[in-house]
């Protein structure tokens, strides 16, 4: 049973799915991990296998600008991240915001710097 859990984790499944796949309750799985440090370490290593494979696959394709751009956008979002601009159409109700402003701020919004 423990081997099935490790296999499922190595395939990228979370603990819950791995337990369901192995037909083992999560409490038993957690008990195994507490009682057997070697099993616990194997589970943690298994969880990294899909990540390593994904990074390795990406690394093989970094000559393709599409993959290189994808990596830069995520690793360095301030420098290379996408900027999203949303256009708002129609009416925007700001009454609830205006009610929270003090009167002097409302006057500034309505008249700017003009004396009233």
């Amino acid at each position: 049973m423990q081997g099935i859990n490790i296999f499922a984790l190595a395939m990228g499944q979370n603990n819950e799915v791995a337990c369901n796949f192995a037909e083992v309750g999560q409490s038993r799985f957690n008990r195994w991990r507490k009682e057997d440090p070697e099993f616990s370490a194997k589970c943690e290593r298994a969880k990294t296998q899909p990540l390593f494979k994904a990074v390795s696959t990406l690394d093989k394709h970094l000559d393709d600008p599409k993959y290189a751009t994808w990596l830069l956008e995520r690793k360095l979002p301030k420098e290379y991240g996408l900027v999203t601009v949303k256009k708002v159409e129609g009416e925007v109700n700001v009454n609830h915001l205006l009610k929270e402003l003090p009167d002097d701020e409302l006057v500034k919004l309505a008249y700017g710097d003009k004396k009233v």
Side-chain angles (χ1 to χ4, degrees):
M1 291 293 177
Q2 289 181 347
I4 295 172
N5 280 92
I6 292 171
F7 171 77
L9 293 171
M11 298 301 294
Q13 303 302 326
N14 63 29
N15 291 350
E16 180 182 358
V17 173
C19 288
N20 288 337
F21 182 71
E23 297 180 353
V24 173
Q26 284 191 341
S27 58
R28 178 181 290 178
F29 175 73
N30 292 332
R31 189 171 55 251
W32 285 345
R33 291 191 65 179
K34 284 181 183 177
E35 294 172 356
D36 186 348
E38 186 178 335
F39 173 67
S40 184
K42 285 180 182 179
C43 288
E44 290 308 309
R45 282 194 304 275
K47 287 180 181 182
T48 65
Q49 288 178 1
L51 303 174
F52 179 77
K53 185 175 181 180
V55 170
S56 177
T57 301
L58 182 58
D59 189 50
K60 291 176 188 173
H61 294 92
L62 284 180
D63 290 335
D64 183 331
K66 178 175 70 174
Y67 292 98
T69 301
W70 183 90
L71 182 63
L72 287 171
E73 287 172 354
R74 280 148 186 85
K75 285 297 209 179
L76 300 169
K78 289 182 183 176
E79 294 86 353
Y80 298 99
L82 298 175
V83 176
T84 303
V85 177
K86 292 185 179 183
K87 183 178 178 183
V88 178
E89 293 183 16
E91 294 181 21
V92 178
N93 187 345
V94 293
N95 287 339
H96 64 285
L97 297 174
L98 294 175
K99 289 178 184 176
E100 296 175 11
L101 288 176
D103 289 344
D104 59 326
E105 291 293 323
L106 288 171
V107 171
K108 282 183 189 175
L109 282 173
Y111 298 102
D113 291 331
K114 296 177 189 175
K115 293 196 177 196
V116 184

